[in-house]
Amino acid sequence: MSNHPLVTIAIPTYNRAASYLPIALQSALKQNYPEFEVLVSDNASTDHTPALIAGLKDPRVRYFRHESNIGQKGNYNFCVKKARGSYLLLLHDDDAIDDDFVGSCIQAAGGASDAGIIRTGTRLIDADGKIVREVINAVAGLSLAEFFRGWFAVKTPIYCCNTLFNTRRLRETGGFESKHFCYPDTMAIFRLAAQGPRIDVREIKASFRIHGGEAGGARKIAAWCEDSLELLQFMCDLVPESRDQVFKEGMRFFSRANYRRASTADAPWQRVVAIAKVMSYFNFRQLPSRHVILQIGYGTRLYHTLRLLKRSFNTPFLRA
């Protein structure tokens, strides 16, 4: 490649020095691309994160430690503020990237530093690093509306770990933001995708880790529903010519996602409450799948209510 714009790999972290942070750090430092920095933003960790970073003795690493916890939103946007690179990768401290992630992205952009976002495919891994699922990025050359619909159809993954953001544009558009901070990365990705150009790398070059976060999602299901609907409205506003189609498919996509979150609540009564909230937020236009209903258990009032709704409106249960 003839051009090598500087890339910032920013890792916001909190108390993961004994678990996943070393893996994220090593994946960042092993990049085969020549021009990058690693920015670690420590959100007042109480573990040995400072000693871990000091032990790296790598001049490419810039370490910032907050005296008090500034929250997830504050830490993310601190990374945006401090990044020196033309592009920014926000790498969560439990995720990882392949050795050629940055190089593949910059090569796909032809060495240019003016792309809005550059994205790759992603593998989902469990707590032990075992591959759960792999999703290629199959939306290259598609319009913005088709990009959105591709996400709904699982033709492309939307995560921070597989996305290079144009740093200047990310700052100019407000960084990472959403009402309840459930979809700040997705909002930023779509905002920059609308500005263009959007560069898509088909191959899988990043790993997103799944480990015990769904229960937390169920506990704040109202926030997830509100942010889902805000995001869907934002997407529809970006593609007015395809608004109806994006809205219809998006309602189905987001309701399913939130029913899955709701079904992970610990106790049956908590699942009942969470699922009822999702139904209410989506105006009873999308009923939960049979699988979700079975998570509640036969014999509950909500189970029988949903069965009656199905028969009354002749609405088939959505497939999980």
Side-chain angles (χ1 to χ4, degrees), residues 85-202:
S86 298
Y87 293 108
L88 167 69
L89 170 68
L90 190 75
L91 181 64
H92 293 163
D93 59 2
D94 53 352
D95 293 339
I97 50 176
D98 295 0
D99 296 357
D100 60 344
F101 171 83
V102 174
S104 297
C105 288
I106 301 302
Q107 184 176 37
S113 60
D114 60 349
I117 54 172
I118 311 173
R119 304 172 55 257
T120 75
T122 308
R123 69 182 65 83
L124 278 63
I125 59 176
D126 66 13
D128 299 318
K130 182 180 178 180
I131 297 175
V132 176
R133 187 179 190 182
E134 294 183 309
V135 183
I136 60 172
N137 180 27
V139 295
L142 299 184
S143 67
L144 186 62
E146 292 303 310
F147 171 40
F148 293 163
R149 298 182 65 214
W151 181 39
F152 298 154
V154 200
K155 294 180 179 179
T156 186
I158 302 290
Y159 298 109
C160 272
C161 65
N162 72 324
T163 305
L164 283 188
F165 296 89
N166 183 298
T167 308
R168 176 181 59 82
R169 294 189 191 180
L170 185 60
R171 287 184 185 133
E172 291 174 350
T173 55
F176 294 103
E177 183 66 69
S178 73
K179 183 176 181 180
H180 297 289
F181 217 67
C182 295
Y183 284 108
D185 50 349
T186 312
M187 291 283 282
I189 289 169
F190 290 165
R191 191 176 292 114
L192 268 61
Q195 294 183 1
R198 186 189 85 239
I199 307 296
D200 290 293
V201 177
R202 182 181 178 86

Side-chain angles (χ1 to χ4, degrees), residues 11 18 23 41 61 92 99 103 115 132 136 147 207 262 301:
I11 306 177
I23 298 172
S41 182
V61 177
H92 293 163
D99 296 357
V132 176
I136 60 172
F147 171 40
S207 298
R301 181 173 297 179

Side-chain angles (χ1 to χ4, degrees), residues 37-285:
E37 63 169 2
V38 176
L39 189 161
V40 180
S41 182
D42 181 358
N43 210 358
S45 294
T46 57
D47 62 6
H48 63 283
T49 295
L52 173 66
I53 304 301
L56 293 174
K57 301 185 186 303
D58 192 315
R60 296 172 298 180
V61 177
R62 298 167 59 210
Y63 177 59
F64 297 89
R65 175 175 171 79
H66 303 292
E67 291 303 315
S68 60
N69 193 301
I70 61 174
Q72 188 180 43
K73 176 180 177 180
N75 210 21
Y76 281 20
N77 287 307
F78 178 85
C79 291
V80 177
K81 177 181 178 181
K82 291 295 183 180
R84 294 172 177 169
S86 298
Y87 293 108
L88 167 69
L89 170 68
L90 190 75
L91 181 64
H92 293 163
D93 59 2
D94 53 352
D95 293 339
I97 50 176
D98 295 0
D99 296 357
D100 60 344
F101 171 83
V102 174
S104 297
C105 288
I106 301 302
Q107 184 176 37
S113 60
D114 60 349
I117 54 172
I118 311 173
R119 304 172 55 257
T120 75
T122 308
R123 69 182 65 83
L124 278 63
I125 59 176
D126 66 13
D128 299 318
K130 182 180 178 180
I131 297 175
V132 176
R133 187 179 190 182
E134 294 183 309
V135 183
I136 60 172
N137 180 27
V139 295
L142 299 184
S143 67
L144 186 62
E146 292 303 310
F147 171 40
F148 293 163
R149 298 182 65 214
W151 181 39
F152 298 154
V154 200
K155 294 180 179 179
T156 186
I158 302 290
Y159 298 109
C160 272
C161 65
N162 72 324
T163 305
L164 283 188
F165 296 89
N166 183 298
T167 308
R168 176 181 59 82
R169 294 189 191 180
L170 185 60
R171 287 184 185 133
E172 291 174 350
T173 55
F176 294 103
E177 183 66 69
S178 73
K179 183 176 181 180
H180 297 289
F181 217 67
C182 295
Y183 284 108
D185 50 349
T186 312
M187 291 283 282
I189 289 169
F190 290 165
R191 191 176 292 114
L192 268 61
Q195 294 183 1
R198 186 189 85 239
I199 307 296
D200 290 293
V201 177
R202 182 181 178 86
E203 292 75 23
I204 294 168
K205 300 293 181 182
S207 298
F208 176 83
R209 193 181 303 273
I210 304 170
H211 58 99
E214 290 300 308
R219 284 193 294 271
K220 58 174 187 176
I221 195 67
W224 275 105
C225 287
E226 289 179 12
D227 268 22
S228 297
L229 294 171
E230 178 189 57
L231 176 58
L232 180 56
Q233 181 62 55
F234 177 66
M235 296 166 74
C236 290
D237 290 345
L238 290 175
V239 290
E241 71 288 351
S242 302
R243 173 185 294 272
D244 292 345
Q245 192 169 35
V246 169
F247 179 79
K248 179 180 178 181
E249 294 177 16
M251 286 288 283
R252 184 180 303 116
F253 175 84
F254 286 116
S255 64
R256 286 175 173 176
N258 285 306
Y259 280 129
R260 285 194 295 270
R261 292 186 183 98
S263 69
T264 63
D266 295 331
W269 71 267
Q270 292 174 324
R271 293 195 289 273
V272 169
V273 171
I275 290 171
K277 283 185 178 180
V278 178
M279 292 178 66
S280 176
Y281 272 104
F282 286 85
N283 297 321
F284 298 90
R285 298 169 73 171

Side-chain angles (χ1 to χ4, degrees), residues 296-315:
I296 303 173
Y298 288 105
T300 65
R301 181 173 297 179
L302 181 57
Y303 175 84
H304 290 300
T305 300
L306 290 172
R307 294 293 296 178
L308 287 172
L309 280 171
K310 180 185 178 184
R311 286 195 290 268
S312 299
F313 296 107
N314 196 28
T315 304

